[in-house]
Amino acid sequence: MSKTLEWGHRYVAVAPAHFRVDYQINPFMDLAVQPDRALALAQWRRMVDAIETAGGTVEVIDQRSDAPDMVYAMNLGLGVEVPTTTGGLRHHVVLSHMRYPQRRMETPTTRAWFAGHGSTTSYVGRDGVGAFFEAGDAFAFGGDLVVGYGPRTDELGLKHLATDLGVRVRGLRITHPGMYHLDLAFCPLDETRALVCPEAFDEDSRAAVLALVPDPIVLTEEEALSTFAANSVVVGRTVIMPACPDRVRARLEESGFAVVLVDVREFHKGGGSIRCLTNAVDLRIGRDLLPVSGGEVVLP
Ligand code: ARG
């Protein structure tokens, strides 16, 4: 059996005190379909419970009242643990530079929160200037940082990430408007496995993602879009999912995973599910991301 992921035990999440659909920046959002505040909060609490029961920890960031999408914490930034010369770990966050101005006020708040918790921060672009980067596009897999680009993250941002972190960045070009972040189409499960929806990508990137993952569990376009099945969180051998097609569950169980279902459908109204609502901050350079001097970008 292949090794479980070492990251994915420490999360931040944003308590949904002001979750609304105020604008439309993805195909799921419809101003006429608003979330039920109490139901959303109950679903979010059950999700946090499920993560904690699986052995994860969740730190909570307060939501700004003027930032209805801030609940999708995955997009706040990319948190990494960096080994120090004295044998300790320093925490660092590469802040997102949101494609849409409607979400850009989330960044200074995120920066202040992480700085207040002892993290250093950096950025690839900010305030509408420079490359866009949304952290829902970035995952560690196979020792490299896999980054989706196109709808939200700019291709140019990949170079910044690679140099900033000193890692290899493997770009995948996203072309599907409904899978506008990598986390809607790709979910690392363990050292050799990941959930993958190939339809999210252009032809070369489809081939690249299938070559990258030794043992992919493939989701159909319909499964990824209507159930958000790829937008799941993995804590060791537990996969916390919004829904799981039978075929996928069978594959997961035969690979030693336990599937825990949590209904977060109120949040599907904003275009995100369980992964989007969380942000793993325990990716470690030298363990999950292999150091590459000067950084390197590999495109399909
Ligand atoms: N309404 C949010 C947006 O369009 C949803 C973000 C979903 N998050 C994610 N990590 N895929 O930005």
Side-chain angles (χ1 to χ4, degrees), residues 32-54:
V33 185
Q34 291 296 327
D36 176 303
R37 177 93 39 100
L39 181 56
L41 184 59
Q43 291 180 344
W44 183 87
R45 288 211 177 105
R46 280 196 287 273
M47 177 197 74
V48 170
D49 275 356
I51 293 172
E52 290 175 343
T53 303

Side-chain angles (χ1 to χ4, degrees), residues 19 23 25-26 29 69 72-75 98 100 103 106 134-137 152 180-184 228 231 267 269-273 275-278:
F19 173 46
Y23 44 79
I25 58 172
N26 69 55
M29 300 173 89
D69 266 339
Y72 301 105
M74 178 68 185
N75 295 124
M98 304 286 193
Y100 294 103
R103 291 197 67 178
E106 297 174 33
E134 297 192 5
D137 276 323
R152 296 296 178 92
Y180 53 90
H181 280 132
L182 183 66
D183 65 11
L184 298 167
F228 284 87
N231 205 248
F267 297 96
K269 296 173 178 171
S273 194
R275 174 63 79 180
C276 300
L277 292 169
T278 59

Side-chain angles (χ1 to χ4, degrees), residues 57-84:
T57 61
V58 181
E59 275 189 275
V60 178
I61 302 181
D62 290 333
Q63 184 176 11
R64 283 175 68 125
S65 58
D66 61 349
D69 266 339
M70 195 177 160
V71 294
Y72 301 105
M74 178 68 185
N75 295 124
L76 296 179
L78 172 66
V80 292
E81 299 171 341
V82 188
T84 61

